[in-house]
Amino acid sequence: MLRSSQPLTGPNRKRCREDEMLLGTVLDEGERGFIIDTRSAQAAKQARMMGGGTEPKSAYLQWKRLHRPLERGRLLQESFIKLVEACNDTSINMDRWLSRLESCRWLSHVKAALSTACLAAQCMDREEASVLVHGAEGTDTTLLVTALAQVILDPSCRTLMGFQGLLEREWVEAGHPFHLRCARSAYSHARLKQEAPLFLLFLDCVWQLSRQFPFSLEFSERLLLTLFDNAYASAYGTFLCNNEKERRVRGQGRAQPSWCLCKVKENTHSLWAWLNQPGEKKKYLNPLYSHNALVIWPSVEPQSIQLWQGLFFRWIRSSQYLDEAWAEIQRLAGGS
């Protein structure tokens, strides 16, 4: 599996021989690969007017391009906002609640993300083909798909340590702009243009996997909730800034953003170091976990995708009884 940003073909459909050669070396003679573009065909076509574009079929003969549109900007953020508003409105009846849940379309975004990740996983597992995933910049929906596909395919990514490594590799080091995407929250009246809950959508999809395969993930829902909290407000430096350059380089002069004025790596603690302390680590483990070496194929049927109540209802509904039940499960699993 590979990931990248879009090719810069531009309105004149320029070619890049080096890129063609690079992708050509991935495949042996007679092999084929798939390019999964997370934009619609129309959006990819429009991107040419801004200097971007897609891989022309005539120059990438062994690659088949598939478009699987995933929202990554304002529409996704508005969906999140509408969902939060609906979840916190305790005055509505059941019919009205179901109508608002459907109209916000959050679960549709969850389904689309899982479906696209399954497509990438199927191309690799069943077709035994190489897969290149990209959208526009390659730092949003691209990472969503590649990270989810690895959780589906690779049992090591379903362990606590492996999942942390996946997040570091596919989100932090790959340049997901956490500062821009998670600048505020759905409760804020400000509507920042570049804010979008892509990382939350990923966590929601992983929760869907954990619900459908309760024995296959070593970590529990509590870890996913902790990651959500730390993406938006954290005492640790792991999700600060927009890319590795900003985290490492000390800014010079007033033109530099304020978050560059301190070296994140040197001046903050790592979230992973805190989570992996023996006393903390056990809080995030799934007591029902049993190693599963197989690929886990989630169902994306409407009845299989559920609202993540542990997150979206956490501030309006007591979790006392669920917490007590979970503690009892941990006690019984530990005793056996």
Side-chain angles (χ1 to χ4, degrees):
M1 178 178 288
L2 305 94
R3 51 175 162 76
S4 71
S5 59
Q6 64 182 327
L8 303 180
T9 57
N12 297 323
R13 300 190 180 187
K14 296 178 293 183
R15 294 179 61 179
C16 178
R17 305 288 183 179
E18 293 81 3
D19 187 66
E20 295 168 15
M21 185 179 300
L22 178 64
L23 288 190
T25 60
V26 173
L27 306 176
D28 293 330
E29 185 176 354
E31 289 185 340
R32 64 170 180 167
F34 294 91
I35 298 173
I36 298 179
D37 195 325
T38 60
R39 304 166 296 176
S40 66
Q42 181 63 26
K45 184 177 180 180
Q46 292 175 347
R48 287 208 302 263
M49 303 308 297
M50 303 296 292
T54 59
E55 296 83 358
K57 295 180 180 179
S58 58
Y60 297 84
L61 297 176
Q62 292 177 266
W63 293 86
K64 180 178 181 180
R65 190 172 69 248
L66 305 171
H67 288 276
R68 293 296 184 272
L70 296 175
E71 294 294 344
R72 71 184 185 101
R74 181 182 58 82
L75 292 178
L76 184 62
Q77 178 68 7
E78 289 296 330
S79 175
F80 178 39
I81 292 170
K82 290 177 181 178
L83 175 60
V84 170
E85 291 175 345
C87 289
N88 285 277
D89 186 354
T90 57
S91 65
I92 57 178
N93 59 30
M94 179 60 71
D95 291 340
R96 180 61 176 156
W97 154 249
L98 293 176
S99 175
R100 290 183 66 175
L101 177 61
E102 182 179 6
S103 66
C104 76
R105 300 194 69 250
W106 178 261
L107 296 184
S108 297
H109 297 308
V110 172
K111 176 182 178 179
L114 282 172
S115 298
T116 305
C118 283
L119 173 63
Q122 288 170 352
C123 290
M124 296 181 65
D125 182 69
R126 297 178 178 177
E127 300 290 331
E128 297 184 346
S130 296
V131 175
L132 168 63
V133 183
H134 72 67
E137 290 81 14
T139 55
D140 288 296
T141 52
T142 299
L143 308 183
L144 174 65
V145 173
T146 58
L148 279 176
Q150 289 177 67
V151 175
I152 291 169
L153 289 170
D154 188 355
S156 69
C157 292
R158 300 175 219 142
T159 66
L160 181 60
M161 293 299 296
F163 189 65
Q164 292 176 34
L166 175 74
L167 295 179
E168 186 72 20
R169 180 177 68 249
E170 296 298 315
W171 288 91
V172 178
E173 293 178 352
H176 179 64
F178 283 97
H179 179 79
L180 291 175
R181 300 293 183 261
C182 304
R184 303 269 183 173
S185 75
Y187 292 93
S188 172
H189 294 293
R191 296 292 184 263
L192 301 184
K193 183 178 180 180
Q194 298 193 62
E195 187 167 7
L198 269 302
F199 187 61
L200 168 58
L201 182 58
F202 167 72
L203 296 177
D204 197 327
C205 290
V206 174
W207 178 83
Q208 303 289 338
L209 292 172
S210 71
R211 193 189 61 79
Q212 294 189 27
F213 301 93
F215 304 104
S216 297
L217 277 66
E218 188 186 25
F219 49 88
S220 66
E221 178 188 43
R222 185 170 183 175
L223 175 69
L224 302 178
L225 293 172
T226 299
L227 292 170
F228 165 75
D229 291 340
N230 280 271
Y232 280 89
S234 181
Y236 303 90
T238 302
F239 297 132
L240 290 180
C241 304
N242 292 310
N243 51 56
E244 284 294 278
K245 180 180 179 181
E246 290 181 2
R247 294 185 189 99
R248 294 177 183 275
V249 178
R250 182 181 294 276
Q252 298 292 332
R254 294 184 179 182
Q256 293 291 333
S258 60
W259 62 84
C260 287
L261 300 180
C262 59
K263 294 183 178 181
V264 171
K265 299 288 185 179
E266 292 84 357
N267 295 334
T268 66
H269 293 286
S270 167
L271 174 63
W272 314 132
W274 172 63
L275 289 176
N276 292 323
Q277 295 177 97
E280 289 293 325
K281 182 177 180 180
K282 62 182 181 181
K283 299 177 183 178
Y284 302 98
L285 294 175
N286 174 14
L288 303 178
Y289 173 69
S290 177
H291 177 74
N292 179 6
L294 301 176
V295 176
I296 54 174
W297 297 110
S299 169
V300 293
E301 296 300 320
Q303 61 270 28
S304 299
I305 305 297
Q306 296 189 9
L307 181 67
W308 185 4
Q309 297 184 30
L311 173 64
F312 295 111
F313 289 161
R314 67 194 294 202
W315 292 286
I316 63 173
R317 189 179 67 183
S318 173
S319 62
Q320 175 187 350
Y321 299 114
L322 288 175
D323 292 341
E324 290 175 354
W326 193 247
E328 181 65 12
I329 292 174
Q330 290 178 311
R331 187 187 68 80
L332 293 173
S336 61

